[in-house]
């Protein structure tokens, strides 16, 4: 509604609908992680008789968290996609850098949801040769700052941590970029 020449009043009509409960979460194509490990990373769970207790404990956990936990057993699209991102990162930290997490297939029957998630893991990579081309430090100093080692399973997280350590090493000597 127009209240004045420079102001308007907005009215939102929201129809929430019914909650959808998760009947089953199915992972297809996973070998590197078990279904239970993936469900833990996903952050969503199936509705069971004991989810009331989980809801109760999550209430207290949420008092100390920046991001609240989802309501146990309840389908939430936002939390689903956040969880899929966590799963992708976990695979990349375990050497599966070509992993593909498919678009989840959501089947709704009455108030129940079945979620199917297809995973194509690809190959598990190991670290080959590590080379840092620079002319400031002896190679020994560079190697001391790199935690990722030749022959071990590649980890995206370790690589990023090594990059940060090297950036700080160079920045400490005035090379900000």
């Amino acid at each position: 509604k127009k209240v004045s020449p420079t102001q308007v009043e907005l009215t939102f009509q929201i129809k929430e609908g019914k909650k959808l409960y998760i009947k089953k979460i199915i992972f297809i194509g996973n070998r590197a992680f078990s279904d239970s490990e993936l469900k833990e990373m996903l952050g969503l769970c199936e509705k069971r008789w004991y989810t009331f207790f989980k809801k109760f404990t999550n209430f207290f956990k949420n008092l100390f968290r920046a991001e609240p936990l989802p309501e146990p057993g309840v389908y939430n699209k936002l939390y689903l996609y956040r969880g899929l991102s966590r799963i992708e990162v976990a695979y990349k930290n375990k050497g599966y850098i070509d992993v593909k997490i498919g678009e989840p297939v959501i089947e709704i029957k009455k108030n129940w949801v079945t979620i199917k998630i297809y995973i194509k893991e690809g190959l598990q990579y190991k670290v080959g040769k590590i080379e840092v081309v620079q002319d400031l430090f002896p190679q020994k100093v560079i190697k001391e700052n790199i935690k990722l080692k030749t022959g071990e399973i590649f980890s995206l997280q370790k690589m990023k941590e090594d990059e940060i350590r090297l950036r700080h090493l160079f920045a400490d000597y005035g090379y900000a970029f």
Side-chain angles (χ1 to χ4, degrees), residues 14-159:
I14 299 170
K15 183 180 177 187
E16 288 185 353
K18 294 180 180 180
K19 285 184 183 180
L20 297 175
Y21 296 98
I22 301 171
K23 184 174 188 175
K24 189 82 177 145
I25 300 172
I26 303 166
F27 294 97
I28 301 164
N30 56 305
R31 292 179 318 278
F33 293 101
S34 68
D35 287 0
S36 59
E37 289 173 312
L38 292 174
K39 286 177 187 178
E40 186 71 30
M41 289 180 231
L42 189 63
L44 297 177
C45 64
E46 291 108 346
K47 183 157 178 71
R48 302 281 187 248
W49 65 270
Y50 53 82
T51 51
F52 167 78
F53 298 108
K54 198 169 187 179
K55 184 177 180 180
F56 182 73
T57 58
N58 281 1
F59 172 79
F60 291 104
K61 288 180 185 177
N62 283 336
L63 295 174
F64 304 102
R65 295 176 52 94
E67 179 187 320
L69 294 165
E71 185 177 344
V74 176
Y75 172 67
N76 185 314
K77 191 174 184 177
L78 174 68
Y79 283 104
L80 172 63
Y81 282 92
R82 284 183 186 171
L84 292 175
S85 295
R86 284 191 298 271
I87 289 172
E88 183 178 355
V89 168
Y91 267 101
K92 289 182 178 183
N93 287 334
K94 202 168 180 178
Y96 295 92
I97 57 177
D98 296 327
V99 67
K100 301 281 186 255
I101 310 292
E103 187 68 25
V105 177
I106 311 299
E107 297 172 357
I108 302 172
K109 291 182 183 169
K110 296 187 180 180
N111 293 343
W112 292 96
V113 173
T114 299
I115 303 170
K116 290 182 184 174
I117 300 168
Y118 293 88
I119 299 172
K120 186 176 179 186
E121 293 178 345
L123 298 173
Q124 186 180 43
Y125 289 86
K126 291 186 177 181
V127 178
K129 183 179 178 185
I130 300 173
E131 186 176 348
V132 178
V133 180
Q134 53 83 39
D135 59 359
L136 183 63
F137 298 102
Q139 283 300 316
K140 182 182 178 193
V141 173
I142 297 297
K143 285 183 180 180
E144 288 171 355
N145 283 280
I146 296 177
K147 304 301 179 210
L148 204 54
K149 301 295 179 205
T150 300
E152 73 178 22
I153 293 171
F154 175 81
S155 168
L156 184 63
Q157 181 179 347
K158 280 186 179 180
M159 185 189 74

